[in-house]
Amino acid sequence: MTEEHVKFGKSKVFFDTFERRPGPIKKNMHYCPGCGHGILHKLIAEAIEDQGIQDRTVIIAPVGCAVFSYYYYNCGGISVPHGRAPAVGTGLARALPDDFVISYQGDGDLAAIGLNEFLQAANRGESMSVFFVNNSTYGMTGGQMAPTTLPGQKTVTSPCGRQIENDGYPIKVCEMVNTLAAPVYIERVALTSTAKIMQARKAIRKAVANLKERKGFSLVEILSPCPVNLKMNAKTINAFIDEQMSRYFPLGCFRDEPESKVKHYAIRPVHDPESVKKVLFPPKLNIGVASDFKNQSKIFENERRIKIAGFGGQGILSLGIMLATMGKLRNFNVTWLPSYGPEQRGGSANCSVILSRNLIGSPVIDDNCNLLIAMTQVALDKFMHELKPNGVLVYDSSTMRVPTHIADSHPVFGIKALDIALGLGSLKCANSVIMGALSAILIDRYLEGADKMDFDRAFEEAIIDCFNKKPEVIKLNICAFYEGKKAVRF
Amino acid sequence: MEYLNRLLLKGNEAVVYGALLAGCDAFYGYPITPASEVAHSSAALFPKLNRTFLQAESEISAINMVIGASAAGKRVMTGSSGLGISLKQEAVSYLAAFELPAVIVDIMRGGPGLGNISPEQSDYFQVVKGGGHGAYRCLVFTPESVQEMCDAGYHAFSLCEKYRMPGYILADGVIGQMMESVTLPEPTTYVYDPEWKITNKTNGEANYLTTIYLENDDLERRNHLLQEKYRTVQENEQSAEEFFTEDAELVLVAYGISARIARTAVSRLRQQGWKVGMLRPKMVFPFPERALKKIARSGKTRAFLCIELSPGQMIEDVKLAINCELPVHLAYRLGGNIPSVAEISEKAVAIINAKGGDRA
C-alpha cells in the first residue's frame, strides 16, 4: 500500500480535531455554509505556520461568530468583551515583547462598539495585526444592520433598507485608518474568487510577517460572505460583494511602509530590589533623628492640631507640608489634609495638619484646633471658631486688620508676612516668614530644653527634605525664615 | 547606597508605591479627580523601572488593557473614581469570569451622575455587590490611612492571585488626597509567573481564556465553582480591627475616612467614660461577619452605629452579619460633607441613653 501525501492539508496551527467544541461534531468548524470565516481562519493559520510563530502567537477572539476561534487554533487565545480586542491587545502586546498579537474582529465589534479602541490602538501603532471581517451585517445576533451595511441594504434592523437620513453612511475603515500616521500596512481584500482569495492570502501573510518583524500596526480588511444572514446563495453573495460592496469599499493596498513612524521598544520591567529601591526610596540625607528620639517639651505629649488658611498662591498648602515634614523628621505621626476641588479653584485654600505620638484619628480639623494660621480676613472669620480657648492665632498683618472680638485667652500674633516676603523678592516665601515667626513664638512660650534649639534645625531639614534639588529655593526660604523670626513682637 | 524608608505621601501616591514594591508591571488609567495622583505618580514612576504606564483613551480601554496584561501573566493595576469605575464594570465582570487577578483603585467622590469631587463612600454597592453583570464578587480592601493605602497596594496582588480574582482598593477622596508619614515595605523578591497565562501550554495545548459557555449545564457548573470560591474567600479572609469593643455598649462600624472620625469619637467618648468601641472592616468583601457576630452575642453590646459617607450602604451588610439581632443605627453625611466628631459623639450618647434604641 502506498503512503498518502497530502500536499495542501490542514495547517498544523489548527488542532487535529476540535475537542474544545462542545457537542458531537469535532472535525468541522461551527460556521454556517458559505461563511467566509473558515477560509480566513485557514489563511491566517497558514501564515502563522509559515512564519514559524505558532508557539508565540496570541489570537484575540471578538464577540461575534468568531468568538470560538480558540476551538480551532492551537495558539494562545482569549475571547474578550465586545469591541475591546485592540485594548486587550494593547495590554498583551506591551506585556509580551517576544510574542505576537492578532486581533480578529467583525464589523460591529471593530467599527461600531469598538471603533474608539481600534482607532486609538492603530494611532499608537501598537504591535499587532488586525484582521477585520466586513460582511456588512451582524452575523451572530441574526443579521442586524452593521456600520458597514450599504445604503438601502435591508437587514432586520433596517427592514426598509439602510436610510442615510436615519443611519448615516457606512464607515470606510481602511480609509479612516489611512489618515493616521502610525500604521505600517493597510489593505482591503475580498474572498469571492480564487484570484481574490490568493490576494487575501498575500495580504494576510504580509500582516503576519509584519508581526514577526515587529513593524507595528497592520490592518487587513476582508470583505467576507455571510450568505445565511443576507439570504443569498453562493453565487449571489459573491456578486453582492464584487459589484456592490467593492464599489463602496474599494479593494487594494492603502499603505505598505517599510517601518512604522511609531517605534515601540520592548519593555522589560526591572524588578531587582536594589534598582527598585533606588527609584522609590529617598536617599538617606544627613537629616532626621534616631528612631527612638522623642521631643521633650510638654506640648508634644498631646495631639497638635494646626489649621492653615488663606488663598491660593500664598503657599498655604506647602506651609502645611513643611510642618508635616518637620513632624515626620522628628518621629511624629502626621496627617496633612488639603481643601481640594472647587473651593481651591475659587481662590481659597486651607489645610489641616495634625502631629501626634499616637495613632491619629480624624485628619479633619473642625474643632479643638491648637494653632490657626490665617493669611486672609475671610480665612480668619471662617475658622476662628475652631480654635481652642487657649489656641494660638497667627495672622498676616500686612493684609489684615488687627482682629477684634477675639477672646483674651487666645495668644495672638500679627506678622507682616507678605510685606517681608515681597521685600525678599518673592511672594512665595511668605510661608517661610510665618514659619520663622512660629519658631520665635514656640521657643518663647512653649518649647522646653533642647527643643528650643531644635526647632530651627528641624525647619532647615524640612526645607532640605522638600526642596532637595533646588538649592536657591532652600536659601531663599531659610532667609525668609530668619526674617520672620525677627519680626515677632511679644 | 543608604536609603530612607519613611516618606510623607498622599494616599493616592502611597498605593502606587505599594504596588511598585509588590512588583506591579503595568498601570493603565484615565485621569479623574480625586484619583488623579494615582495616574500622576504612576506616570512618573513606572517608566523609571521600565514598567508600563499608558494613559488610555477611556476607562473602558484602560480596564481592557488590564485584562490583556493580566492574561499575559503580569501584575497590573488601574485606578479611577466612581464615574470611571461605572465604565469599567463590564470588564470587571469579565475579569471575574476569566478568573484573572488585577488591582483596581477606586477613590470615591460624590455622586450620582457627575456629583462632585469631594469625598463620599457611595460606590459601596457598585464595588462590593458586583456592579457589573452576572454573579461575581471582587476582593475589596478598605484602607483608612496612607500607610494602609501603601500596604493595600503591596498586599492586594498576592491575595487576588491566590484566589484568581480582581480586587478593589476602595478609598475615598480624603484618604486619597491626604498626606501622612508612611513606612515603605521592602521590594518583593517574589517572581510572579502563573501557569495559566495564555502564552503557556497545558498538556501540549496552548492556553486560552474564555467566558462563554453556551451549554446551560456548563455555565451552571462554572458558576457553582465561582460561588464556591467566593464562599472560601468569605470563610478564610475576613479582616477587621477592633477598637475598645470588649466592654462596649455601643459599637461604631466604619471604614475609610469614616473610621478615622469614628476613632476620634470613640477616644473622646471613652475619656468621658462612655463605653463605646469601633469595629473597622479592613476588607468589606469578605465582610467581617464573624467579628460582628461575636460582638453582637457578647452580651455587653446593645447596639451598633454605622458611620458612612453614603446613605446606608454598608449598614445592610452589618445587619445581615448579625442577623438583625441588635439595633443598627446610621449616621451619615452626603455630597462631600464629612460628619464631625461632635455630631457622631452626640448620636452615640443619645443611643446609649436610649438603652440601645429600637430594634432597627
Side-chain angles (χ1 to χ4, degrees):
Chain A
M1 225 167 91
T2 53
E3 212 177 312
E4 274 187 58
H5 287 284
V6 181
K7 201 169 176 191
F8 296 106
K10 191 160 70 176
S11 167
K12 289 185 182 62
V13 171
F14 288 131
F15 290 112
D16 288 339
T17 53
F18 305 138
E19 300 301 327
R20 288 175 178 176
R21 186 178 174 191
I25 303 169
K26 306 290 186 192
K27 288 203 157 181
N28 296 343
M29 291 184 176
H30 69 285
Y31 299 111
C32 308
C35 169
H37 280 306
I39 301 170
L40 190 52
H41 279 20
K42 175 178 151 77
L43 296 180
I44 293 170
E46 288 172 356
I48 293 169
E49 187 177 350
D50 287 356
Q51 293 295 334
I53 58 170
Q54 177 181 4
D55 289 344
R56 289 191 286 150
T57 298
V58 176
I59 300 175
I60 307 174
V63 169
C65 298
V67 64
F68 297 118
S69 67
Y70 58 86
Y71 288 172
Y72 313 118
Y73 290 104
N74 190 3
C75 293
I78 181 167
S79 295
V80 301
H82 199 18
R84 316 303 172 211
V88 175
T90 299
L92 284 164
R94 302 267 179 140
L96 301 169
D98 302 314
D99 296 77
F100 308 104
V101 177
I102 288 174
S103 173
Y104 189 107
Q105 297 180 264
D107 37 40
D109 196 77
L110 180 142
I113 197 167
L115 185 62
N116 189 25
E117 284 79 0
F118 166 71
L119 282 179
Q120 302 275 0
N123 189 49
R124 289 190 300 265
E126 296 295 344
S127 186
M128 68 174 85
S129 289
V130 178
F131 297 114
F132 167 41
V133 184
N134 176 358
N135 57 15
S136 85
T137 188
Y138 282 59
M140 196 189 213
T141 43
Q144 294 86 356
M145 184 177 66
T148 49
T149 296
L150 296 179
Q153 185 183 337
K154 287 184 181 174
T155 70
V156 290
T157 51
S158 56
C160 304
R162 181 179 186 133
Q163 306 289 318
I164 300 309
E165 302 77 13
N166 193 53
D167 309 314
Y169 283 96
I171 290 178
K172 298 181 179 187
V173 169
C174 283
E175 287 82 347
M176 198 186 288
V177 173
N178 200 24
T179 64
L180 305 174
V184 281
Y185 176 57
I186 307 165
E187 179 153 355
R188 185 183 285 127
V189 297
L191 299 177
T192 48
S193 65
T194 309
K196 285 187 176 140
I197 290 171
M198 291 314 280
Q199 181 56 35
R201 179 172 181 267
K202 242 171 91 182
I204 286 159
R205 275 161 189 259
K206 172 101 199 166
V208 174
N210 283 353
L211 265 188
K212 194 181 177 190
E213 291 161 33
R214 302 226 158 266
K215 280 193 175 176
F217 189 92
S218 301
L219 167 69
V220 180
E221 176 177 341
I222 301 105
L223 304 187
S224 178
C226 184
V228 169
N229 278 304
L230 297 187
K231 301 183 176 60
M232 295 185 197
N233 61 33
K235 208 170 164 184
T236 51
I237 190 78
N238 280 349
F240 169 75
I241 292 172
D242 284 340
E243 288 158 27
Q244 296 183 49
M245 280 186 83
S246 302
R247 202 179 303 155
Y248 194 90
F249 301 111
L251 305 185
C253 180
F254 293 80
R255 184 184 298 180
D256 183 6
E257 288 177 359
E259 60 179 40
S260 173
K261 292 188 181 71
V262 178
K263 195 90 189 138
H264 284 285
Y265 296 98
I267 296 174
R268 300 191 193 282
V270 173
H271 285 286
D272 88 274
E274 191 55 30
S275 308
V276 173
K277 280 179 106 161
K278 200 172 166 189
V279 168
L280 297 180
F281 287 53
K284 198 165 184 178
L285 300 169
N286 195 20
I287 58 174
V289 289
S291 59
D292 57 353
F293 172 87
K294 259 183 160 185
N295 286 90
Q296 294 305 310
S297 310
K298 270 197 211 77
I299 61 157
F300 294 128
E301 278 167 19
N302 293 319
E303 190 169 277
R304 291 294 125 189
R305 300 158 65 82
I306 304 160
K307 175 69 75 69
I308 306 153
F311 59 78
Q314 286 181 317
I316 301 293
L317 302 186
S318 46
L319 175 48
I321 291 174
M322 210 81 77
L323 278 166
T325 305
M326 289 171 71
K328 178 198 76 171
L329 291 170
R330 292 297 177 267
N331 298 343
F332 286 100
N333 289 319
V334 295
T335 67
W336 169 91
L337 177 66
S339 61
Y340 69 95
E343 198 183 349
Q344 195 178 346
R345 287 181 189 133
S348 75
N350 74 73
C351 63
S352 303
V353 176
I354 301 175
L355 284 81
S356 175
R357 290 224 176 97
N358 302 315
L359 205 57
I360 298 171
S362 171
V364 180
I365 296 180
D366 50 18
D367 63 4
N368 283 333
C369 181
N370 302 106
L371 169 64
L372 171 64
I373 298 173
M375 302 286 276
T376 61
Q377 193 66 45
V378 176
L380 177 73
D381 296 343
K382 189 170 174 190
F383 296 113
M384 192 61 207
H385 74 276
E386 295 176 1
L387 207 53
K388 273 184 138 175
N390 58 352
V392 177
L393 169 67
V394 176
Y395 70 98
D396 185 353
S397 53
S398 47
T399 59
M400 295 156 64
R401 303 184 300 277
V402 179
T404 50
H405 310 299
I406 287 179
D408 291 341
S409 60
H410 294 296
V412 177
F413 301 93
I415 311 296
K416 293 197 173 302
L418 276 182
D419 287 351
I420 295 171
L422 275 175
L424 292 169
S426 173
L427 267 179
K428 281 188 179 165
C429 64
N431 51 11
S432 289
V433 175
I434 292 283
M435 286 296 296
L438 203 56
S439 159
I441 297 162
L442 289 173
I443 289 169
D444 186 66
R445 302 270 176 102
Y446 302 98
L447 297 180
E448 297 162 43
D451 289 350
K452 281 184 191 281
M453 305 297 292
D454 188 48
F455 190 92
D456 296 0
R457 219 184 97 210
F459 171 79
E460 288 187 24
E461 289 181 6
I463 283 280
I464 292 166
D465 194 87
C466 293
F467 300 103
N468 187 18
K469 283 172 188 139
K470 294 180 184 165
E472 71 289 356
V473 178
I474 294 174
K475 211 175 134 193
L476 175 70
N477 280 285
I478 288 177
C479 180
F481 177 82
Y482 286 101
E483 287 301 315
K485 250 173 109 84
K486 282 190 276 179
V488 184
R489 301 279 170 271
F490 292 101
Chain B
M1 180 106 178
E2 270 199 280
Y3 300 103
L4 285 171
N5 63 355
R6 195 137 173 93
L7 270 75
L8 193 62
L9 292 175
K10 282 192 166 195
N12 283 342
E13 297 165 337
V15 71
V16 173
Y17 274 76
L20 284 165
L21 290 165
C24 181
D25 291 290
F27 181 93
Y28 295 99
Y30 188 86
I32 182 169
T33 315
S36 298
E37 294 85 357
V38 179
H40 298 175
S41 46
S42 295
L45 297 172
F46 274 72
K48 285 188 184 166
L49 290 166
N50 255 3
R51 305 188 194 176
T52 302
F53 168 83
L54 184 63
Q55 182 170 323
E57 59 271 22
S58 69
E59 305 289 0
I60 296 170
S61 294
I63 190 72
N64 280 283
M65 290 169 185
V66 166
I67 290 180
S70 181
K74 301 290 176 181
R75 288 191 157 173
V76 58
M77 182 165 90
T78 184
S80 190
S81 188
L83 300 73
I85 300 297
S86 303
L87 283 171
K88 290 180 194 290
Q89 293 291 10
E90 179 203 32
V92 177
S93 164
Y94 273 81
L95 279 166
F98 280 133
E99 296 193 273
L100 284 176
V103 175
I104 305 157
V105 181
D106 180 5
I107 307 297
M108 292 181 281
R109 59 184 257 181
L114 204 49
N116 66 21
I117 60 176
S118 302
E120 263 196 14
Q121 294 179 316
S122 48
D123 289 356
Y124 189 92
F125 282 163
Q126 78 154 333
V127 164
V128 181
K129 304 293 178 180
H133 57 287
Y136 71 91
R137 305 302 295 258
C138 298
L139 297 167
V140 186
F141 298 82
T142 47
E144 63 143 14
S145 66
V146 176
Q147 182 68 55
E148 285 194 357
M149 285 291 270
C150 179
D151 296 346
Y154 192 71
H155 293 297
F157 289 98
S158 52
L159 203 61
C160 289
E161 286 152 15
K162 180 176 173 188
Y163 293 102
R164 288 191 59 183
M165 61 194 285
Y168 281 96
I169 296 173
L170 183 67
D172 50 79
V174 177
I175 302 296
Q177 290 295 323
M178 76 175 175
M179 274 185 159
E180 290 187 303
S181 32
V182 177
T183 304
L184 297 180
E186 285 293 299
T188 184
T189 51
Y190 172 71
V191 179
Y192 174 59
D193 188 22
E195 277 178 16
W196 48 257
K197 68 181 182 183
I198 56 172
T199 47
N200 271 354
K201 290 184 177 188
T202 305
N203 302 326
E205 284 187 11
N207 285 347
Y208 71 102
L209 288 164
T210 189
T211 63
I212 185 168
Y213 299 89
L214 287 184
E215 301 291 331
N216 298 357
D217 289 345
D218 289 346
L219 185 56
E220 187 178 44
R221 212 172 301 126
R222 174 89 192 135
N223 275 332
H224 279 316
L225 285 174
L226 284 179
Q227 296 306 318
E228 184 57 39
K229 174 169 81 175
Y230 301 145
R231 278 192 290 276
T232 307
V233 170
Q234 179 61 47
E235 187 59 29
N236 295 344
E237 305 297 340
Q238 294 180 32
S239 175
E241 179 202 346
E242 294 189 41
F243 185 62
F244 290 107
T245 50
E246 314 80 51
D247 61 344
E249 286 177 52
L250 176 71
V251 171
L252 278 52
V253 187
Y255 70 97
I257 182 59
S258 302
R260 295 292 291 267
I261 294 157
R263 187 184 297 283
T264 300
V266 168
S267 302
R268 289 193 192 170
L269 288 167
R270 279 275 165 182
Q271 280 169 12
Q272 296 161 23
W274 296 100
K275 287 189 173 170
V276 291
M278 173 178 72
L279 180 112
R280 176 175 74 89
K282 291 173 152 182
M283 294 184 77
V284 287
F285 183 79
F287 200 73
E289 293 171 349
R290 264 197 301 272
L292 277 161
K293 220 171 275 174
K294 199 171 133 233
I295 293 168
R297 292 180 182 169
S298 66
K300 296 193 171 129
T301 302
R302 292 162 179 266
F304 291 91
L305 169 60
C306 292
I307 319 290
E308 297 184 36
L309 301 189
S310 46
Q313 295 192 337
M314 181 193 65
I315 193 173
E316 293 188 3
D317 284 332
V318 175
K319 287 181 179 178
L320 281 171
I322 63 161
N323 206 13
C324 292
E325 285 170 17
L326 289 176
V328 184
H329 302 268
L330 176 67
Y332 69 99
R333 292 295 301 270
L334 297 172
N337 289 320
I338 298 170
S340 69
V341 171
E343 226 174 305
I344 300 303
S345 306
E346 272 166 38
K347 178 123 188 176
V349 168
I351 293 167
I352 296 171
N353 284 338
K355 309 254 180 242
D358 294 329
R359 190 164 292 272

